[in-house]
Amino acid sequence: RKEVEQDPGPFNVPEGATVAFNCTYSNSASQSFFWYRQDCRKEPKLLMSVYSSGNEDGRFTAQLNRASQYISLLIRDSKLSDSATYLCVVNLNTGGFKTIFGAGTRLFVKA
Amino acid sequence: DARVTQTPRHKVTEMGQEVTMRCQPILGHNTVFWYRQTMMQGLELLAYFRNRAPLDDSGMPKDRFSAEMPDATLATLKIQPSEPRDSAVYFCASGLSRGNTGELFFGEGSRLTVL
């Protein structure tokens, strides 16, 4: 079983739609959580951190459920420019910060 | 803008050849990661270093892969001998760990094709 699991998609949505991505992690030693975004043939870049209380950044909302070991990302009012792969990321408490990426969920936003 | 620099950007080689990929992390960052990305497996962690010390290389095939940080400005990933299944994009990332967290900054990747 992979340490971080995501639905690979793809999700095909029209502009303006709301779309939600889910992610589960298996290691209870996971300490911090992130969503990264990766455009086609580019490197991953940080989208946002995920806090236990939930957090919002503009049209993006991230939630964490430690009991269920579950992370989510909600994108409201999707834009064409949101088309990308969204990577769920966990840091393990191992004395350093071992950073594990999920395989990613592909999103296509269409006009 | 400070950024992670990787070389080469593209490499085509024949099976059995040695391949060395290099990474210059962002100055001041104390943690360096090597990842491999394929369509089938996504981003796999191969190895990572903190303050130049290797912390975990359990994701790396030990018989052919090796990762080192000869100094704070250089990380290397070597494959010897290379095989077609090693074809992938190899990313280096660096970060400044604060406790056990921190954003990672990625290089543009080295796209390796082994024929």
Side-chain angles (χ1 to χ4, degrees), chain A residues 6-19:
Chain A
Q6 295 182 250
D7 181 344
F11 284 55
N12 293 288
V13 303
E15 269 188 298
T18 295
V19 61

Side-chain angles (χ1 to χ4, degrees), chain B residues 45-84:
Chain B
L45 177 62
L46 298 176
Y48 73 110
F49 298 79
R50 185 172 185 171
N51 297 324
R52 293 178 54 205
L55 288 191
D56 189 333
D57 61 2
S58 59
M60 210 162 61
K62 298 290 191 307
D63 55 339
R64 299 183 300 108
F65 284 59
S66 62
E68 295 180 346
M69 276 202 77
D71 62 61
T73 65
L74 177 65
T76 62
L77 180 67
K78 187 176 295 186
I79 308 173
Q80 167 64 21
S82 58
E83 297 181 2

Side-chain angles (χ1 to χ4, degrees), chain B residues 28-48:
Chain B
H29 281 185
N30 63 350
T31 311
V32 175
F33 295 75
W34 283 105
Y35 292 92
R36 173 172 66 184
Q37 187 171 42
T38 61
M39 288 294 292
M40 296 300 294
Q41 298 294 328
L43 265 170
E44 299 174 274
L45 177 62
L46 298 176
Y48 73 110

